[in-house]
Structures are given as C-alpha cells and as structure tokens.
C-alpha cells in the first residue's frame, strides 16, 4: 500500500507500508532500486502527495510495485547496511492525506442501502426511484473536507425538523457510511467519454472511505437538489492506497442487472470484488458487509460519470456510496442499523444508542485472502469531537 508519511520533523514523502514499517521510497530511489523502471533525475517519491507518481501511468506504477516487492525479498532490504535508513517504524510516523484531491463524486451504487433509505424516507412509495436500475446515481461532493484517517470529526450544525418546527443546532442524527473510494490515476480528455471497457485503466487504487452524514439535516434539505450540508462537513479516507491490480484475485460477478443497462453500461467481464468490510464502534464490530453487494461496478460508475464528456483528473476520488448487504448485520450505516433511530443498538456495556455520540470512534477495515495472497485495505478511523 502506498501513502504519504513524515517523521521527526521531516517533509512528507511517499512510503510503502510493509507490516508495521514503512519503506521510504525516497531513500530506495536514491539507492538506485528503481533505476531500471524509473530513470528520472527528479524523484516523484519526494513529493507530498501521490499525484505525480500516479501520473506516471499504470504500466510504470505496476512495474514499480513489482520492483518494490522483489526488493523486499532481498538480503539488502531485510538486513543490509541501509536497512535503518530504508525503513521507518509505523509508530514513529505521521500519516497524511495521500493525494491532492481535485474533485469528489459520491455514487449511490449500493442497492440494499438505497432500498433501505427509500423505505425510511419514503415509506408510502417505491423504495427505489425509477432511474436507479438504469444508471449509477451520484452527486458532486466537497473535496476540501475529505480528511485522512484519524482526523477528529466535529459535530456539524444546520437546519432540521423538530416535530413540525424548523430549528437550527447541532445534528442529533450523526451517522457513518461504509464506502470504498476509487483513486483516479489518469486524465481523460474533456468531451471524450471513457468506455466501460477502458474504465478500470483509470483507477490507480482503492481506499476505505467513510462519508459522515447528518441525517436530520439531510432529510430536511435533500429535496429537490440532493445532499448538501448534511454531507459536506467531513469525509474520512484511509492513509494507504491499495493498487487496483491487487484486487484481481478477488474479482467476482456482480448481481444480475434487470433491466439490462443501456449499451454504454453493458460489461462483458466480472466487475465486482469479494472484499469483506467491517465497521467497529468503540472497538465493537457492529456491521460486516462486502463490496460484492454493490449493484453498479467500478467500471460502470466511471463510464456513466464521463459519458456526457465530463473529464477525469489524476487525484479525483469516486466513492461508491454506502455498501450494505441484504441482512441487518450487513447494513453500512446507523440509519439502517437502527431503523432511523427507532431500534437502538445494544452495546456490550449494556447501553443503547441510535446515532453517534460525542466521543464515539468508528473504524472501518477490510482483510481477506485468496490463492495464498492476503489483501488488506488501510483502516479508516474517525472520532466524533
């Protein structure tokens, strides 16, 4: 996993996570580790974001990842004279937001979440709006308030209904949303759609993503234009980006899409991924979901995002929307887990809760294995200040 770190007052730079250590890629570059695949005089690893590294292109980035993994097996990396220079203990490092984010789009690709929210917000109507199964619905979010894992989240204030009265104050329905974030590593030309067949080539990597939500503010404001203050006060993402190629062994078929999407959204290979996802509240697991429950694939999200000619830039973030499964223990938000506050969660200390309280800490994790390969996404954690 790639990320940005600093230590002992040093400048932020690119690192590669190896267990409880970080391989300092600037030092590795200076030692000539990447001389065969990266013959540049100026190291992209000395930069405070991954953007310049990602912009080298998928072929070069994959070659560098392979070179890193090969180098980690050498005696020089494991116990050589430069070992102490090459590796920084994770406990001694400060982690930073790994990318400079240009634009942020949040999709609504989890069908079970969409159905559950529809039943809560529109109890007398169809859970899914008519367009849901025809296109990946999304909204343009706020990039400036995306923060790295571990950053405290301040409870937001806004307008909401109390009975029949419109009031202003701190949200009483603060929630998390279990999501994945796609990190875009390639520019596309304005006016030129990205085909569904080529879409995955634009993904550099994947992170865990928590789109914090103020449900009472959201419910009052979302019609007719959708999310605004209930969403834009903060989102948290992992400090570590997993290269997209690492997801290959976990590729699976998605759900049958009925009706069949329009031709520009039709795919001919499995486009979903079997990635277990867990949510812990104050160190107690309260949800176990899986990325395979998404209705729309990553490729379909990108194809739809660009079909009108909207261009992608290196560093853009595309989030999946809340990933819930079909059963209550797989729901990816407190809105669903508590039935909008009508069915409180019972915690190990015998207390009950509905939405997040000041001091609560939410942690999202993903770890799985296939064919002797272990895949772990970087944790994303946030504490309510």
């Amino acid at each position: 996993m790639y990320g940005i770190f600093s230590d002992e007052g040093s400048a932020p730079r690119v690192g590669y996570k190896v267990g409880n250590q970080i391989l300092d890629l600037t030092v590795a570059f200076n030692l000539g580790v990447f001389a065969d695949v990266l013959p540049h005089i100026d190291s992209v690893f000395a930069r405070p974001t991954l953007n310049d590294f990602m912009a080298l292109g998928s072929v070069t980035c994959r070659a560098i990842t392979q070179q890193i993994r090969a180098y980690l097996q050498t005696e020089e990396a494991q116990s050589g004279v430069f070992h102490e220079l090459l590796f920084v203990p994770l406990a001694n490092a400060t982690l930073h937001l790994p990318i400079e984010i240009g634009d942020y789009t949040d999709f609504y690709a989890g069908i079970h979440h969409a159905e559950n929210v529809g039943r809560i917000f529109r109890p007398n109507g169809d859970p899914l709006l008519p367009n849901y199964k025809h296109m990946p619905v999304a909204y343009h979010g706020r990039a400036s308030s995306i923060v790295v894992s571990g950053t405290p989240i301040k409870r937001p204030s806004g307008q909401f209904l109390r009975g029949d009265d419109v009031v202003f104050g701190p949200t009483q329905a603060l929630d998390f949303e279990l999501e994945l974030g796609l990190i875009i590593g390639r520019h596309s030309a304005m006016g030129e759609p990205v085909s569904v067949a080529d879409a995955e080539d634009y993904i550099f990597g994947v992170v865990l993503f928590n789109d914090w939500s103020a449900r009472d503010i959201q419910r009052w404001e979302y019609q007719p234009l959708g999310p605004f203050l209930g969403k834009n006060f903060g989102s948290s993402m992992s400090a570590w980006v997993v290269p997209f190629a690492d997801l290959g062994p976990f590729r699976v078929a998605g759900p049958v899409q009925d009706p069949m999407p329009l031709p520009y959204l039709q795919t001919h290979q499995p486009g979903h991924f079997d990635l277990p996802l867990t949510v812990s509240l104050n160190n107690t697991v309260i949800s176990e979901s899986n990325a395979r429950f998404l209705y729309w694939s990553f490729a379909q999200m990108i194809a739809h995002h660009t079909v009108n000619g909207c261009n992608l830039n290196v560093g853009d973030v595309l989030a999946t929307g809340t990933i819930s499964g079909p059963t209550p223990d797989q729901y990816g938000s407190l809105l669903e887990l508590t039935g909008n506050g009508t069915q409180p969660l019972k915690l190990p200390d015998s207390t009950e809760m509905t939405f997040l309280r000041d001091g609560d800490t939410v942690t999202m994790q993903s770890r799985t294995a296939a064919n002797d390969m272990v895949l772990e996404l970087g944790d994303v954690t946030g504490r309510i200040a």
Side-chain angles (χ1 to χ4, degrees):
M1 294 186 283
Y2 292 97
I4 300 295
F5 78 101
S6 59
D7 67 315
E8 299 179 355
S10 64
R13 57 200 186 276
V14 181
Y16 185 87
K17 187 175 180 292
V18 185
N20 60 1
Q21 299 185 97
I22 301 171
L23 174 63
D24 189 330
L25 295 185
T26 298
V27 175
F29 176 86
N30 292 336
L31 291 176
V33 172
F34 308 112
D36 293 338
V37 292
L38 193 62
H40 301 284
I41 297 174
D42 185 22
S43 170
V44 294
F45 301 124
R47 313 289 166 75
T49 70
L50 293 173
N51 291 53
D52 288 345
F53 170 55
M54 296 189 297
L56 294 175
S58 58
V59 173
T60 300
C61 289
R62 281 197 297 268
I64 290 172
T65 300
Q66 293 170 0
Q67 187 72 13
I68 290 171
R69 291 171 179 171
Y71 181 67
L72 290 172
Q73 304 304 313
T74 65
E75 182 177 347
E76 178 181 284
Q78 295 180 17
S79 58
V81 295
F82 297 112
H83 185 273
E84 290 189 4
L85 291 174
L86 282 164
F87 291 93
V88 174
L90 187 59
N92 296 345
T94 299
L95 303 180
H96 304 272
L97 196 67
I99 58 175
E100 181 180 357
I101 302 170
D103 282 298
Y104 159 50
T105 299
D106 193 22
F107 282 87
Y108 200 40
I111 190 169
H112 301 295
H113 174 71
E115 289 175 332
N116 292 334
V117 172
R119 294 187 185 100
I120 291 170
F121 283 6
R122 299 182 302 277
N124 298 320
D126 191 323
L128 294 179
L129 293 175
N131 62 354
Y132 187 87
K133 290 187 175 182
H134 290 272
M135 63 179 183
V137 175
Y139 72 94
H140 191 204
R142 185 72 181 177
S144 65
S145 53
I146 298 177
V147 296
V148 70
S149 174
T151 305
I153 298 297
K154 184 177 180 180
R155 181 178 297 273
S157 293
Q159 288 190 24
F160 52 89
L161 290 178
R162 182 176 291 155
D164 294 328
D165 297 327
V166 179
V167 299
F168 176 86
T171 177
Q172 302 302 299
L174 187 55
D175 201 355
F176 62 81
E177 290 196 340
L178 172 62
E179 307 191 20
L180 291 177
L182 311 181
I183 308 301
I184 299 300
R186 178 181 171 186
H187 294 289
S188 70
M190 185 173 179
E192 297 294 331
V194 174
S195 72
V196 72
D198 295 335
E200 289 185 354
D201 292 339
Y202 287 78
I203 306 172
F204 169 78
V206 176
V207 296
L208 279 169
F209 194 87
N210 183 352
D211 184 33
W212 304 95
S213 300
R215 298 301 187 184
D216 42 8
I217 297 172
Q218 177 188 1
R219 184 168 186 173
W220 174 235
E221 73 180 2
Y222 86 104
Q223 298 186 62
L225 292 181
F228 185 35
L229 300 183
K231 293 281 191 176
N232 68 4
F233 60 91
S235 300
S236 301
M237 64 180 284
S238 169
W240 299 103
V241 183
V242 174
F244 180 67
D246 287 2
L247 273 59
F250 307 93
R251 188 182 291 272
V252 294
V256 175
Q257 295 181 333
D258 183 20
M260 181 177 290
L262 294 175
Y264 77 93
L265 289 172
Q266 293 176 14
T267 60
H268 303 288
Q269 68 165 345
H272 286 63
F273 298 90
D274 184 8
L275 304 177
L277 308 168
T278 65
V279 181
S280 297
L281 175 67
N282 302 331
N283 297 316
T284 296
V285 174
I286 60 172
S287 176
E288 297 181 280
S289 189
N290 194 299
R292 70 186 305 163
F293 294 139
L294 289 169
Y295 188 79
W296 298 102
S297 71
F298 299 164
Q300 288 173 318
M301 293 180 218
I302 292 172
H304 185 67
H305 196 304
T306 62
V307 72
N308 67 340
C310 175
N311 54 313
L312 299 175
N313 289 313
V314 173
D316 286 354
V317 175
L318 276 57
T320 60
T322 306
I323 305 174
S324 294
T327 61
D329 59 318
Q330 299 168 331
Y331 293 166
S333 69
L334 286 172
L335 179 72
E336 300 163 88
L337 288 166
T338 69
N340 196 26
T342 63
Q343 304 164 22
L345 284 182
K346 295 182 179 179
L347 303 178
D349 62 1
S350 298
T351 62
E352 294 185 345
M353 65 165 292
T354 52
F355 292 100
L356 294 172
R357 306 157 299 185
D358 292 348
D360 282 340
T361 297
V362 177
T363 300
M364 299 173 179
Q365 299 172 302
S366 178
R367 181 182 174 86
T368 189
N371 301 324
D372 298 323
M373 176 183 174
V374 175
L375 179 68
E376 184 173 3
L377 303 186
D379 296 357
V380 60
T381 296
R383 179 180 180 274
I384 306 305

